[in-house]
């Protein structure tokens, strides 16, 4: 038996439904969602709140051990954040060498967490592609990636809402194209990454979850049953749905009403070829 820590890693552009998927997967008995773990050190450093409202450092689910908090991980925050930056993605794609310092910090964190919890799989919904490429080199982590895509117009519409960090349409498009260009390159070159569409997930969740379980566990339960609602896991990061105690699965198609038709068509072509590759309709 290997002593590897099993990790499901979600990749993709922001506002693509990763927090939703992370919440749904937490419903599986063998999966525990941790949230956007690239923010973990910041949460400890700044004593930020877990999604439950307690400080992360006093949340009983996290049950952070003193040796983790007393260690020098806080000093490594900037180092890790720099390494995870999008600008490093191209070199990480070609660089075969592992970043020992980065890996030892992250392994230290995951080992400490898995020592406190007894889940078979942990889920990191950071989304950052650079982080995936860095963690992938760890010999202690067994990683299965899930690359999530969404119609760019849904992403743009979500970014224009005045919550969290908002982006104007043009900057949302540039961001979307950059992340999905790297997302395509990385997912096509790693058999450990499964690509799924947000629209398929909300349309037929049982089917998509079944596909994900096969990808992660190698087999799936006879049938996936969807509960009426999902309880929010104790997470770091995540979008505004995290403040809800429970969430219902509903399809967000506001963009079809909010974005004028001519702009919908323009955005479609500005995000070509990703709209085409992922079979979205004009
Ligand atoms: Zn909590």
């Amino acid at each position: 038996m290997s002593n590897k820590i099993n990790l499901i890693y979600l990749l993709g552009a922001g506002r693509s439904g990763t927090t939703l998927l992370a919440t749904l997967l937490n419903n599986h008995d063998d999966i525990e969602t941790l949230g956007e773990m690239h923010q973990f050190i910041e949460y400890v450093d700044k004593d930020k709140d877990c999604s439950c409202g307690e400080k992360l450092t006093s949340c009983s689910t996290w049950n952070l051990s003193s040796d983790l908090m007393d260690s020098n991980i806080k000093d490594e925050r900037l180092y890790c954040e720099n390494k995870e930056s999008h600008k490093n993605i191209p070199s990480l794609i070609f660089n075969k060498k592992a970043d020992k310092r980065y890996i030892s910090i992250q392994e230290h964190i995951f080992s400490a967490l898995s020592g406190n919890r007894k889940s078979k799989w942990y889920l990191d919904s950071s989304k950052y592609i650079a982080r995936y490429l860095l963690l992938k080199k760890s010999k202690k982590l067994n990683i299965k990636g899930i690359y999530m895509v969404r119609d760019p117009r849904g992403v743009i519409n979500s970014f224009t809402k005045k919550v969290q960090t908002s982006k104007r349409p043009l900057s949302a498009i540039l961001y979307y194209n950059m992340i999905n260009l790297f997302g395509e390159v990385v997912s096509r070159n790693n058999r450990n990454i499964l690509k799924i569409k947000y629209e398929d997930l909300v349309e037929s969740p049982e089917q998509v979850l079944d596909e994900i379980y096969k990808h992660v566990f190698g087999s799936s339960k006879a049938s996936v049953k969807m509960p009426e609602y999902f309880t929010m896991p104790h997470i770091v990061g995540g979008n505004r749905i995290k403040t809800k105690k429970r969430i219902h699965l509903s399809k967000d198609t506001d963009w079809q009403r909010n974005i004028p038709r001519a702009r919908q068509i323009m955005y479609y072509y500005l995000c070509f070829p990703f709209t085409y590759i992922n079979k979205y309709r004009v």
Side-chain angles (χ1 to χ4, degrees), residues 50-56 59-62 233-235:
C50 171
S51 54
C52 69
E54 290 278 332
K55 298 267 177 225
L56 195 76
C59 168
S60 59
T61 300
W62 282 87
H234 294 254
I235 59 168

Side-chain angles (χ1 to χ4, degrees), residues 1-18:
M1 226 183 94
S2 81
N3 297 318
K4 284 194 174 189
I5 296 165
N6 295 317
L7 189 70
I8 300 167
Y9 190 90
L10 305 190
L11 304 93
R15 312 302 174 94
S16 297
T18 46

Side-chain angles (χ1 to χ4, degrees), residues 23-29 204-211 213 220-230 249:
T23 307
L24 302 193
L25 289 176
N26 184 66
N27 193 55
H28 192 287
D29 291 342
S204 33
E206 290 92 348
Q207 217 174 307
V208 172
L209 290 179
D210 188 57
E211 205 184 324
Y213 296 152
S220 76
K221 290 181 176 175
S223 67
V224 179
K225 286 255 176 356
M226 297 293 290
E228 201 192 321
Y229 60 84
F230 296 85
L249 189 60

Side-chain angles (χ1 to χ4, degrees), residues 27-270:
N27 193 55
H28 192 287
D29 291 342
D30 294 337
I31 303 174
E32 203 171 347
T33 289
L34 303 172
E36 301 185 6
M37 286 299 288
H38 68 288
Q39 296 181 47
F40 177 78
I41 303 178
E42 183 192 341
Y43 267 61
V44 173
D45 193 15
K46 293 191 176 167
D47 209 11
K48 289 178 128 182
D49 291 348
C50 171
S51 54
C52 69
E54 290 278 332
K55 298 267 177 225
L56 195 76
T57 48
S58 38
C59 168
S60 59
T61 300
W62 282 87
N63 186 21
L64 297 176
S65 57
S66 52
D67 74 306
L68 181 63
M69 292 186 305
D70 294 341
S71 67
N72 61 352
I73 61 158
K74 289 177 190 173
D75 306 331
E76 301 289 1
R77 184 178 149 197
L78 281 180
Y79 182 82
C80 290
E81 286 177 357
N82 276 325
K83 292 288 167 181
E84 288 161 347
S85 161
H86 298 318
K87 66 177 192 299
N88 296 328
I89 301 173
S91 64
L92 285 167
I93 289 174
F94 295 107
N95 194 349
K96 299 283 171 247
K97 267 177 70 188
D99 186 315
K100 283 189 185 136
R101 180 170 165 192
Y102 181 90
I103 286 176
S104 92
I105 300 158
Q106 299 296 328
E107 284 178 347
H108 177 68
I109 294 170
F110 283 113
S111 307
L113 294 177
S114 67
N116 283 350
R117 301 161 172 233
K118 294 287 170 251
S119 233
K120 288 182 183 145
W121 284 85
Y122 296 95
L123 186 145
D124 179 345
S125 55
S126 295
K127 307 184 293 275
Y128 284 32
I129 294 170
R131 178 169 165 86
Y132 169 81
L133 294 168
L134 287 155
L135 291 178
K136 191 166 82 76
K137 303 265 166 52
S138 160
K139 291 192 171 64
K140 276 193 194 159
L141 298 173
N142 171 35
I143 305 187
K144 294 281 183 180
I146 301 171
Y147 167 41
M148 208 161 171
V149 293
R150 182 181 182 183
D151 189 308
R153 294 160 295 190
V155 174
I156 293 165
N157 186 58
S158 175
F159 267 126
T160 53
K161 290 175 190 164
K162 296 275 172 288
V163 287
Q164 302 168 332
T165 41
S166 59
K167 283 188 202 290
R168 287 166 171 278
L170 191 63
S171 92
I173 288 167
L174 290 172
Y175 164 77
Y176 181 91
N177 287 340
M178 174 188 72
I179 298 299
N180 286 294
L181 169 65
F182 292 129
E184 282 296 330
V185 170
V186 171
S187 71
R188 280 163 196 245
N189 286 298
N190 286 281
R191 257 183 287 154
N192 277 332
I193 299 180
L194 173 74
K195 177 169 155 183
I196 66 156
K197 283 163 78 170
Y198 165 80
E199 291 78 7
D200 293 341
L201 178 68
V202 290
E203 201 76 61
S204 33
E206 290 92 348
Q207 217 174 307
V208 172
L209 290 179
D210 188 57
E211 205 184 324
I212 292 173
Y213 296 152
K214 276 184 192 138
H215 169 67
V216 173
F217 308 122
S219 64
S220 76
K221 290 181 176 175
S223 67
V224 179
K225 286 255 176 356
M226 297 293 290
E228 201 192 321
Y229 60 84
F230 296 85
T231 46
M232 202 62 210
H234 294 254
I235 59 168
V236 293
N239 64 21
R240 69 203 155 89
I241 70 167
K242 77 173 178 183
T243 54
K244 300 184 179 163
K245 287 274 174 283
R246 47 170 74 170
I247 61 162
H248 294 266
L249 189 60
S250 63
K251 195 175 178 180
D252 173 10
T253 50
D254 287 355
W255 67 267
Q256 290 166 345
R257 275 173 284 120
N258 293 352
I259 304 176
R261 187 69 191 127
R263 275 181 177 262
Q264 289 181 18
I265 297 167
M266 180 174 79
Y267 294 160
Y268 180 92
Y269 287 106
L270 285 173

